[in-house]
Amino acid sequence: YYSVQFNNWAAQEHTDWRLEPAAEALIGGGLLQRARYGLCCLNHPDYRQFVLDQLGEIVTGHECDAVFCDMLWWMSVCVCRHCRQRYRRETGKPLPETIDWFDPDWCRFQAARERWITELATQIRRHIRQQRPGTDVYHNFALALANWTRGIGFASAQGHDFLGGDFYGGPGEQLLVSRLMLNLSARQPVEFMTTVAANLAEHEQLKSAGTLALQNLAATLFGAASLMIASIDPDGGINPAALERCRDSFCRARPLRALAGGEPVEDVAVYCSDTSKMSFADNGRPLARAPVDTPMDYPHLRALKGACGMLQRAHLPFGVITRRQLDDLDRYRVVVLPDVLRMDAAEVAAMREYVRGGGCIYASAHTSLTDTRGVRHDDFALADVFGGHFERPEDGLMVYLEPGPDIDSGALAGQRMLGLWVGPEHEPAVLRLAPKPEAETLMTLNLPYGYPDRGHLDGRDWASIHSSPPWQSTAHPTVLRNHFGAGQAIYSAACLEAGGSAAHEALFIHLLRRLAGDDWSFTCQAGTSMWTSVFRQEKEHRWILGFLHHTGEMPAPRPATVTFSLRESAGMRWTRVATVPQNRELEFTRENGRMVCPFQPQDTLTLIAASYAS
């Protein structure tokens, strides 16, 4: 273990090595005590050399199999003379002082911050492997989904032999990061780390044995390794209870560990954009007010997490992809673009050609409206694919999505229509559209009484004391379906996947099924607390299906019977289904080209091997 940026000795002995933050807020949320840490600038040439020298001393002086480098990110925008000089040397321009995602100079600076991190990550890996060939090197990937202030681009994964990081955001975060690392890592397994204590700042408040076991089993479900972090006492000891809970957690997962993993079976790909880890609401802020203390709160992440949670509860086989998969989109039946705020020309072209060739995409809100270079387009870059044009941001307080004749009440969880808060004026959550003639309008805009006024005491432009009821149906589309080439797209003017209601979820899943039908590789009838995964293990001629009863507690209430089905394809026939490692054979039937198997889960995590002949 080596801490790259946090180095108290270096910061005290060499004060000129210190990070010079533009914003005072660091180590967000107040959980960790800022005053304890000496932060060094990752651009200071002497400090960089110091890091390489220390790492070289460690790996040449001690036997080690791997090196884990922590804290390789920016804790703030550093404005020290070395950062300023380097940026001017590379671009000929001064470091920008104002955040503006519509300004090419600002976007160029942010790209430079990410490039500097990637450069250092790969330099460290190369240096260690030169000193001790064959040593695995990886850096903490925990803040890869943090907002732009941390400066970790997904390109930095090239400096890792495999991905791993410590996470504390609960089940939703584990679901997302496990799927993300699985498709981004150069090698498997990836590593999911977390503390035995409630968080990094706690020393005695331990997580329950059940909570730790559930986190470990969830890692196993996704084919990941687990690492537990235990605090060390001042005398060098470790709380025996912490070690016992680690032992219990690992013992529960050990019988299943060797059986899990493989090539993930993913019909739906949720696109994660590392250039959209920002908010247009920050435009105009000085660097001193950069959002370093709220790194896990921005529109794309809310949509990304929402989509993953909805797909998991619907038991649709999905994965999280990045631009690393742009040349391999044809393997997916549907690609989800969840409020992708910034896209470059390569991403736009890849999505267009994917649909032209027969693929399906769902896209929402600001997707393809702004280029990564800082150019705000007059229209969506993918307007031809979406079947609609951007007119303007929506006004008012709230609007409604009114279903057309082809959308029944079941698609809205029994509601008449779907209400949406428009949000702040500088970053509205709903856009006004103009359709292309060939596109099909699935839902239209309904405006509340008094729109666009929000209601005032002295006015008469409101109709209910607290709410803003729907009133005026319009012909403006809000959800469009468009055929493009051999494929099709559904575009929503609002980010349905970020909504927290049953109606948002029902509509999102309904639209995905509308795109791809119901002939998925894997389907499952189970409660929403059942997490599932599917991996292909070609050498063994089998698929490994994982069923984790994730109720948030252990022992969990006994789940009801689960029924799953697998599609049969030409040249492939399912021959045997059994739980592993118990080797308890399960009965199955064949229906309409699918293998159907009901079973009663006996454990919190059940692995099932479905063998096939080809």
Side-chain angles (χ1 to χ4, degrees):
Y1 173 93
Y2 184 82
S3 176
V4 176
Q5 182 184 180
F6 289 44
N7 193 314
N8 286 15
W9 180 89
Q12 289 175 319
E13 294 295 316
H14 301 272
T15 55
D16 62 314
W17 290 4
R18 292 183 181 182
L19 179 85
E20 187 177 327
E24 291 185 1
L26 291 174
I27 315 193
L31 181 66
L32 304 181
Q33 303 304 311
R34 164 71 183 94
R36 295 184 177 187
Y37 307 105
L39 304 176
C40 295
C41 175
L42 300 174
N43 265 337
H44 196 296
D46 293 341
Y47 182 66
R48 280 200 174 202
Q49 188 60 50
F50 170 78
V51 167
L52 296 176
D53 290 345
Q54 279 207 319
L55 284 166
E57 178 182 317
I58 291 169
V59 299
T60 56
H62 304 275
E63 293 290 335
C64 59
D65 302 306
V67 177
F68 174 67
C69 294
D70 202 356
M71 314 295 186
L72 184 50
W73 51 66
W74 300 104
M75 286 307 301
S76 177
V77 179
C78 184
V79 293
C80 75
R81 64 184 178 91
H82 296 282
C83 288
R84 292 182 182 277
Q85 289 171 356
R86 180 172 187 180
Y87 185 68
R88 183 178 287 277
R89 185 171 64 250
E90 293 178 354
T91 67
K93 293 179 175 292
L95 187 150
E97 302 292 341
T98 303
I99 303 164
D100 187 351
W101 297 103
F102 300 152
D103 178 5
D105 284 342
W106 168 257
C107 294
R108 189 180 299 111
F109 171 59
Q110 175 58 20
R113 297 178 70 242
E114 295 178 12
R115 185 177 68 253
W116 296 338
I117 292 293
T118 296
E119 175 194 89
L120 183 54
T122 54
Q123 183 183 17
I124 286 173
R125 178 178 178 272
R126 182 170 58 250
H127 180 72
I128 291 173
R129 292 174 73 89
Q130 287 173 347
Q131 301 294 318
R132 182 176 287 278
T135 302
D136 285 333
V137 180
Y138 66 124
H139 307 271
N140 195 345
F141 205 64
L143 292 187
L145 282 175
N147 68 12
W148 63 271
T149 61
R150 298 323 193 244
I152 305 179
F154 292 162
S156 66
Q158 63 191 274
H160 304 236
D161 287 297
F162 58 90
L163 297 180
D166 57 324
F167 300 97
Y168 310 97
E173 182 184 62
Q174 185 171 10
L175 174 67
L176 170 55
V177 299
S178 298
R179 300 276 191 177
L180 170 64
M181 292 194 297
L182 183 64
N183 281 326
L184 186 58
S185 180
R187 208 174 73 208
Q188 304 297 327
V190 298
E191 189 172 70
F192 177 84
M193 309 177 184
T194 193
T195 47
V196 183
N199 53 60
L200 283 170
E202 293 286 351
H203 199 89
E204 291 296 317
Q205 185 177 328
L206 303 180
K207 295 174 183 171
S208 69
T211 296
L212 289 172
L214 199 55
Q215 290 181 305
N216 205 329
L217 291 172
T220 304
L221 176 75
F222 300 122
S226 288
L227 184 146
M228 299 285 175
I229 302 168
S231 299
I232 300 175
D233 293 332
D235 63 2
I238 298 178
N239 183 349
L243 294 178
E244 186 60 35
R245 293 185 191 192
C246 289
R247 182 180 297 109
D248 177 71
S249 170
F250 287 127
C251 285
R252 287 175 185 256
R254 182 177 296 125
L256 305 171
R257 182 74 67 189
L259 299 163
E263 180 188 355
V265 176
E266 301 165 340
D267 288 353
V268 181
V270 183
Y271 192 70
C272 181
S273 164
D274 67 336
T275 59
S276 296
K277 297 185 293 187
M278 36 65 69
S279 170
F280 294 125
D282 293 337
N283 284 358
R285 284 189 180 190
L287 287 184
R289 293 182 55 221
V292 294
D293 54 346
T294 54
M296 305 305 289
D297 183 23
Y298 52 89
H300 178 56
L301 182 59
R302 293 193 290 270
L304 191 67
K305 291 176 69 174
C308 291
M310 292 175 180
L311 287 164
Q312 184 64 72
R313 288 186 289 274
H315 307 302
L316 296 181
F318 79 96
V320 177
I321 65 169
T322 64
R323 63 184 305 118
R324 186 171 187 249
Q325 279 76 38
L326 286 181
D327 294 332
D328 199 24
L329 295 177
D330 289 343
R331 61 178 285 199
Y332 304 104
R333 295 184 66 188
V334 182
V335 173
V336 175
L337 301 176
D339 202 6
V340 182
L341 273 62
R342 303 199 305 148
M343 296 180 73
D344 65 21
E347 292 172 303
V348 169
M351 296 301 167
R352 178 179 288 109
E353 292 310 305
Y354 163 69
V355 179
R356 193 194 306 275
C360 298
I361 64 169
Y362 163 89
S364 65
H366 299 83
T367 298
S368 84
L369 194 53
T370 304
D371 190 273
T372 56
R373 297 168 301 168
V375 177
R376 182 64 175 262
H377 305 304
D378 294 330
D379 198 359
F380 303 111
L382 289 170
D384 54 340
V385 179
F386 294 166
H389 300 288
F390 169 73
E391 277 198 353
R392 61 175 175 81
E394 192 52 75
D395 292 325
L397 178 70
M398 173 174 275
V399 295
Y400 294 87
L401 272 58
E402 186 169 0
D406 291 338
I407 304 286
D408 60 31
S409 62
L412 294 176
Q415 294 186 185
R416 295 180 300 177
M417 56 187 74
L418 186 65
L420 296 165
W421 293 97
V422 172
E425 184 177 342
H426 46 259
E427 190 177 56
V430 187
L431 304 181
R432 181 69 66 91
L433 304 178
K436 293 169 71 72
E438 62 271 23
E440 176 187 3
T441 296
L442 299 180
M443 304 186 77
T444 53
L445 181 67
N446 186 295
L447 302 175
Y449 190 94
Y451 173 93
D453 206 337
R454 300 184 172 211
H456 298 280
L457 173 65
D458 297 324
R460 297 187 180 184
D461 50 359
W462 49 276
S464 179
I465 183 172
H466 297 306
S467 64
S468 300
W471 182 248
Q472 180 187 354
S473 297
T474 76
H476 295 290
T478 51
V479 179
L480 289 165
R481 182 182 186 181
N482 185 52
H483 291 274
F484 181 81
Q488 58 179 315
I490 287 181
Y491 171 80
S492 171
C495 191
L496 304 175
E497 59 276 21
S501 76
H504 286 87
E505 184 161 336
L507 181 56
F508 174 68
I509 297 300
H510 170 83
L511 295 176
L512 292 193
R513 293 187 186 278
R514 194 152 186 156
L515 281 169
D518 285 315
D519 193 22
W520 305 96
S521 300
F522 164 86
T523 66
C524 176
Q525 298 176 23
T528 56
S529 61
M530 184 65 72
W531 286 17
T532 58
S533 68
V534 186
F535 287 92
R536 184 183 293 108
Q537 297 180 348
E538 289 191 2
K539 185 179 294 186
E540 292 80 9
H541 289 271
R542 70 185 183 187
W543 287 13
I544 292 293
L545 318 176
F547 300 86
L548 176 66
H549 194 207
H550 203 307
T551 61
E553 57 180 305
M554 283 186 65
R558 184 182 176 90
T561 297
V562 173
T563 300
F564 68 88
S565 75
L566 298 175
R567 185 177 62 215
E568 287 191 328
S569 56
M572 175 183 175
R573 184 173 177 83
W574 301 106
T575 57
R576 185 175 186 270
V577 181
T579 62
V580 289
Q582 302 89 346
N583 199 28
R584 179 170 61 88
E585 191 162 351
L586 302 175
E587 295 184 358
F588 65 90
T589 58
R590 287 187 168 88
E591 302 175 12
N592 301 319
R594 303 187 68 86
M595 177 266 280
V596 180
C597 178
F599 77 99
Q600 175 63 61
Q602 303 295 316
D603 300 301
T604 303
L605 175 59
T606 302
L607 295 186
I608 292 176
S611 302
Y612 61 88
S614 56

